[in-house]
Amino acid sequence: MFDPIKIREDFPILKRLIKNNPLVYLDSAATTQKPLHVIEAIEKYYRNNNANVHRGAYTLSEEATSLYEEARLKTAGFINSEMTESIIFTRNATEGINLVANSWGRANLKEGDEVLLTQMEHHSNLIPWQLITKEKGAKLKFIPLTPDGKLDLTNIHKLLNEKTKFVSVVHISNSLGTINPVEEIITLAHRLNIPVLLDASQSVPHRPVDVQSLDCDFLVFSGHKMLGPTGIGVLYGKYNLLDNMPPFMGGGEMINEVQLEWSDFRNLPWKYEAGTPHIAGAIGLGVAIDYLKNIGFENIQQHDKELVSYAMEVLTNLDGIEIYGPKDTRGSLVAFNLKGVHPHDVSTILDEDGIAIRAGHHCTQPIMRWLDVAATVRASFYLYNTKSDIDKLATGLKKVKEIFKRGS
């Protein structure tokens, strides 16, 4: 039975006091907290198995290699990748997108080509495409938004045309919570043989994502947003696409043979993993996957749904709150502003009560301009949050209002 109170016992940091108050952590869209299982797995690796991978004919190196490749196998199963070789370990989702933009983009884009994004992209899925399209003389196009923060697909048939060479879209917005109809976008793009990349940073931690069912060509996500350590991410790609792309970075174990004038590169996935990888990070990610699978995504999704519904109800009933994004279904976050109070002031005052929320532009400045605000407050939830956390947030927001009322 899913019990968030019991789950919280697995997360040591949630026992901390912040300024003499119990920690209320509502910033999981930025990074999640780590269960003891992950922390202990990383410690165990460094205590017992630490060695470099793929390059040592001795026990420790063989153990480290086995643990590292076991994590790759778990990751492939996690997103239902047909081939383990399609899983590339990166530092994070950002590096995965940069790899595709620099490798696929540099090899395939030319002057006059178009790359289609959406107006709600994280900077990580915007800047790499700005750089490569500028370099190649290609253009960026954007799927616009409806007034309630959903994708407006009215003119998608005009945006997807013979000039479009690549589509890169976010699955769930980190600023609006919008769940995008990526299945429809992929189907339309594939009718024109256009490859599609999904930024699944906010979806993979919260719901089952099946790359074969979606039929996406590339998919990226970060380990630290799904209970894993920082510094480890995943790029999935269809084998033929990855196999035909040139390496992004060179050096280390990504080569078969090196002469002074040329090199021959290894097969997938090592072709894209130059240098010593984040071995402990991959092992920690594998344990995080085990933990999430044991909890069950059906339970996680139901818990997310209940928390978001409760948060929307509570925040809507507070005077002076403006909520952004879809009012119906959304990912596990709520972005809002408190009238007359800068988000940074809201965050600072809430911190006095141990409440951790995100305030700022959330690395989506174009979204802030679209909302016509400088920044927003964002409360984001995960499996260790409870309705009590949302009640404490509401109490804290009332305190913020009182403080600014006295000061006006």
Side-chain angles (χ1 to χ4, degrees), residues 34 60 85 101 211 238 319 334 380 383:
K34 318 306 175 192
L60 284 184
E85 293 85 350
V211 292
K238 288 181 177 175
D319 290 337
V334 179
S380 54
L383 45 81

Side-chain angles (χ1 to χ4, degrees), residues 261-317:
E261 303 295 338
W262 58 270
S263 299
D264 179 49
F265 304 112
R266 293 183 73 183
N267 293 328
L268 297 174
W270 304 292
K271 172 181 170 183
Y272 295 108
E273 294 182 2
T276 298
H278 187 6
I279 304 164
I283 294 168
L285 173 62
V287 174
I289 288 171
D290 291 339
Y291 186 90
L292 288 170
K293 290 176 74 172
N294 187 50
I295 297 291
F297 274 104
E298 185 177 336
N299 292 321
I300 295 170
Q301 279 187 280
Q302 181 61 34
H303 185 59
D304 282 350
K305 185 178 178 182
E306 291 174 6
L307 287 180
V308 169
S309 176
Y310 187 66
M312 291 289 283
E313 177 187 341
V314 168
L315 294 176
T316 301
N317 287 328

Side-chain angles (χ1 to χ4, degrees), residues 149-164:
K150 297 180 180 178
L151 291 183
D152 183 353
L153 299 181
T154 307
N155 293 314
I156 189 69
H157 294 285
K158 293 182 180 176
L159 290 169
L160 279 171
N161 55 58
E162 69 280 359
K163 292 183 180 180
T164 313

